[in-house]
Amino acid sequence: MDQEALLARKSTHQQPAKGNVTTISIILASQALEKLAYYGLVPNMILYLTAEYGMGTAEAANIIFLWSAATNFFPLVGAFIADSYTGRFPLIGFGSFISLLGMLLLLLTTIIQPDCDKSTHVCQPTTRLQLLLLYSFFTLTSIGAGGVRSSCLAFAADQLQLQPNHTSRVTTSALETLFNWYYFSVMLACFISQSLLVFVQTTYGWKIGFGASVAAMALSVTLFFAATPFYVHYKYQSGLVAGLFQVLVAAFRNWHVNLSEEEYIISYHHETGSSFSIPSQKLRYLNKACATSNPNQDLALTGNSWSPWKLCRVQQVEDLKSLINVLPIWSTGIILSLVTGCQVSFTVLQAKAMDRRTFIQGFEIPPGSYGIFLVISFVLFLVLYDLVLVPLVSWALGKPFRLGVMVRMGAGIVLTVICISTLATVEFVRRKQAREDRGTMLSAMWLLPYMILGGIAEAFLSIAQNEFFYSELPTSMSSVATTLSGLGMAAASLVSSWIVTVVDAATHGSWITEDIDEGHLDYYYWLMASLSVLNVFYFLWCSKAYGKCKSDA
């Protein structure tokens, strides 16, 4: 017996350590490389579609909006799949391979593409094979993003929770630090992609430029799987998605239940030892899904419901309530994504029509690279906030200090108004100067106020929203919590596509034109500014209705 115990102990000591800073670093590095590969393609995509495929500005912008919407929507689908059926590790691996395949198809489009006259911008009609390759790239990278982005952050958070049967969250400070480093790695990837990769595309052509993205994605896949033995894995909760739908169906089927009766007359179906034995009074109608006046008839001897589509557990009801409760706050972030994320194509066209010369003789900043200033702003503000502002205020107050998530979200939403207003003003001045004096162009450095304010707004809102979702939703929905911000970007992309289509039809193409000097992008930006102002008041109403957050308690 002693020898067996000794061998077991020796075997335990030989097992690799799991769930440490190293695995978190590998996960963050892998997803940063995926972001590097993807975001290296985004800025110049409108130039690729218009120059190499002969598409119009509005048509190309709408395709990019729909691509962005799909890329940010599929992570929500992936999150439900990861939390309910597969777990996080397999889904990340699947998404990585699919994304790599999609980018290889994009590289193939540089070989099999329409013949275009560069001087007249007239292209031969595209063939079915050319369109198939192009749209397959958009489709596969969107599906791949659903696998990778749905679970990377939650999988990294899993590495912090070292107890095999953990039931509680990690500390707020550890979680905030993880989110900060996650966004730092994302922004670093965006910086490199919008500077180096965009420069390579502009200078050396599409083949080498897109090939660099393929190489980055291949490295991401290799790095992620190389650390497989060291990851901490937690079992998924089977039936999460079905459980949420069961609540809706059961509540509808039990519409006749009278919840106004005395509470002791109606009992609520719950698991033994569950933290929820009685449902909350919020969204009270849903309580009908777990209410029963005859437990002996509705429950089996094991204590389970005979029909979960007619009688659910209290925990299921509270999970759905948690998701519904955060949706209004989630929707307030759509406008920021509309302002900073969905205007990339138009700012590239603006920069192309401006003076991009620098103090370095003969060097011009590529039009697709101006987004790096938003990234720099994001990272610098994050560093100053975490390493200077918070410690300084904590020292002055003599106690730990941190801004609440609602305050940070509110600050980001207010900055959104100023951010888009500066862009509208710059476009008005640029267009006026271009039309009145054809010999001079406005310096593209005037785009910097928009980029700087956009980066600060993103730093406030994005991190606060992720922390809010992760803290407010139950542990079983961790992957869903970390993908809701991406879903906001998907919604923003769809709204942008709809707005562009409506504006183009209503103005007969006079606002968004092939030659932006002849159009009125400034009017379009002022429309965005008006929506941003309305969003401030909407956020105030939503935050007041929600009440106190768990992370601020």
Side-chain angles (χ1 to χ4, degrees):
M1 181 69 71
D2 293 339
Q3 187 176 3
E4 291 180 1
L6 184 61
L7 288 172
R9 186 179 304 173
K10 184 178 180 181
S11 175
T12 302
H13 285 309
Q14 288 177 345
Q15 291 179 355
K18 295 188 176 184
N20 49 37
V21 177
T22 302
T23 57
I24 294 175
S25 301
I26 290 173
I27 293 169
L28 294 184
S30 176
Q31 64 83 32
L33 285 167
E34 184 266 340
K35 294 288 194 305
L36 173 67
Y38 172 80
Y39 286 115
L41 304 174
V42 174
N44 280 342
M45 186 55 66
I46 192 167
L47 301 180
Y48 184 66
L49 295 180
T50 54
E52 306 299 333
Y53 278 79
M55 295 183 184
T57 302
E59 180 188 3
N62 270 328
I63 289 175
I64 294 171
F65 285 146
L66 293 175
W67 176 39
S68 176
T71 302
N72 288 284
F73 172 74
F74 275 114
L76 181 66
V77 177
F80 278 117
I81 294 173
D83 282 343
S84 302
Y85 302 106
T86 65
R88 289 165 190 143
F89 175 80
L91 203 65
I92 296 172
F94 168 78
S96 298
F97 275 118
I98 293 297
S99 291
L100 179 59
L101 177 59
M103 292 180 188
L104 284 169
L105 291 181
L106 178 65
L107 183 60
L108 192 58
T109 66
T110 63
I111 301 171
I112 307 173
Q113 63 180 200
D115 293 324
C116 294
D117 187 333
K118 304 299 181 183
S119 59
T120 61
H121 300 287
V122 175
C123 297
Q124 296 295 324
T126 52
T127 65
R128 291 182 179 180
L129 176 60
Q130 291 164 349
L131 289 177
L132 177 64
L133 290 174
L134 182 65
Y135 291 131
S136 294
F137 150 71
F138 289 130
T139 303
L140 290 176
T141 50
S142 296
I143 295 173
V148 177
R149 301 181 191 182
S150 63
S151 303
C152 262
L153 183 53
F155 193 48
D158 285 347
Q159 311 308 305
L160 292 172
Q161 306 178 73
L162 302 180
Q163 300 302 319
N165 297 312
H166 77 279
T167 56
S168 59
R169 301 278 187 176
V170 294
T171 62
T172 300
S173 60
L175 196 61
E176 186 174 354
T177 299
L178 173 61
F179 285 150
N180 286 347
W181 277 107
Y182 168 79
Y183 272 98
F184 176 81
S185 65
V186 170
M187 287 300 170
L188 180 61
C190 291
F191 174 82
I192 297 173
S193 65
Q194 295 187 22
S195 55
L196 181 61
L197 293 192
V198 170
F199 175 77
V200 170
Q201 291 169 14
T202 305
T203 308
Y204 298 102
W206 301 115
K207 289 185 180 69
I208 296 178
F210 292 163
S213 286
V214 171
M217 193 65 229
L219 182 58
S220 171
V221 174
T222 304
L223 186 62
F224 178 75
F225 282 105
T228 299
F230 306 101
Y231 293 134
V232 171
H233 301 271
Y234 291 112
K235 291 183 178 180
Y236 55 87
Q237 179 178 321
S238 180
L240 172 65
V241 181
L244 298 178
F245 282 107
Q246 284 170 354
V247 174
L248 295 174
V249 173
F252 176 76
R253 294 180 67 180
N254 296 336
W255 63 270
H256 58 279
V257 174
N258 186 5
L259 295 176
S260 62
E261 296 178 14
E262 295 294 331
E263 292 298 324
Y264 65 85
I265 297 177
I266 296 179
S267 63
Y268 295 97
H269 174 40
H270 63 278
E271 291 180 334
T272 304
S274 172
S275 56
F276 292 102
S277 58
I278 297 177
S280 63
Q281 293 303 301
K282 282 186 175 182
L283 301 172
R284 197 161 179 255
Y285 178 82
L286 294 177
N287 293 351
K288 295 184 178 186
C290 59
T292 174
S293 56
N294 192 347
N296 293 330
Q297 178 181 338
D298 296 333
L299 300 177
L301 294 178
T302 58
N304 295 325
S305 170
W306 284 111
S307 174
W309 293 93
K310 193 175 189 302
L311 181 64
C312 300
R313 291 174 283 105
V314 175
Q315 182 69 55
Q316 290 175 262
V317 174
E318 292 304 309
D319 285 354
L320 181 60
K321 285 182 179 181
S322 297
L323 183 59
I324 294 174
N325 282 333
V326 302
L327 289 181
I329 297 294
W330 163 81
S331 65
T332 61
I334 292 176
I335 292 296
L336 175 64
S337 298
L338 200 68
V339 167
T340 60
C342 295
Q343 308 311 320
V344 171
S345 297
F346 293 135
T347 54
V348 169
L349 294 177
Q350 278 181 279
K352 189 179 179 183
M354 300 173 80
D355 184 0
R356 294 175 280 110
R357 290 176 296 178
T358 63
F359 61 88
I360 302 175
Q361 187 69 27
F363 177 74
E364 289 188 350
I365 300 176
S369 293
Y370 278 85
I372 63 173
F373 294 108
L374 189 148
V375 176
I376 293 171
S377 170
F378 182 103
V379 173
L380 286 181
F381 178 80
L382 202 59
V383 170
L384 289 173
Y385 175 81
D386 248 5
L387 301 183
V388 179
L389 180 62
V390 171
L392 189 62
V393 176
S394 298
W395 174 79
L397 296 177
K399 60 180 181 180
F401 166 81
R402 59 185 294 272
L403 291 174
V405 291
M406 286 294 183
V407 175
R408 282 181 279 155
M409 282 191 275
I413 287 171
V414 170
L415 282 173
T416 302
V417 179
I418 307 172
C419 172
I420 191 64
S421 297
T422 60
L423 188 60
T425 304
V426 168
E427 174 56 19
F428 171 78
V429 176
R430 185 208 65 78
R431 180 180 178 275
K432 183 179 180 181
Q433 182 171 325
R435 290 172 66 87
E436 292 180 357
D437 188 356
R438 296 284 181 176
T440 60
M441 292 190 294
L442 188 68
S443 171
M445 288 300 171
W446 282 105
L447 294 173
L448 262 59
Y450 161 76
M451 298 294 177
I452 293 171
L453 290 171
I456 297 174
E458 283 275 7
F460 269 125
L461 184 61
S462 299
I463 294 176
Q465 276 206 335
N466 260 313
E467 185 182 336
F468 171 76
F469 298 142
Y470 195 87
S471 300
E472 299 298 310
L473 291 177
T475 308
S476 59
M477 301 175 72
S478 295
S479 293
V480 176
T482 56
T483 55
L484 281 176
S485 291
L487 184 63
M489 185 64 189
S493 298
L494 289 176
V495 171
S496 290
S497 178
W498 178 78
I499 290 176
V500 167
T501 301
V502 171
V503 165
D504 200 45
T507 62
H508 304 289
S510 63
W511 283 18
I512 303 173
T513 57
E514 305 300 319
D515 182 359
I516 62 172
D517 292 344
E518 301 300 325
H520 270 293
L521 272 180
D522 52 335
Y523 292 174
Y524 172 78
Y525 290 146
W526 283 121
L527 176 61
M528 296 296 103
S530 301
L531 293 175
S532 300
V533 172
L534 293 176
N535 192 50
V536 172
F537 294 103
Y538 174 58
F539 172 78
L540 292 174
W541 178 80
C542 288
S543 59
K544 184 178 180 181
Y546 190 88
K548 193 174 184 64
C549 303
K550 293 178 185 177
S551 58
D552 292 340

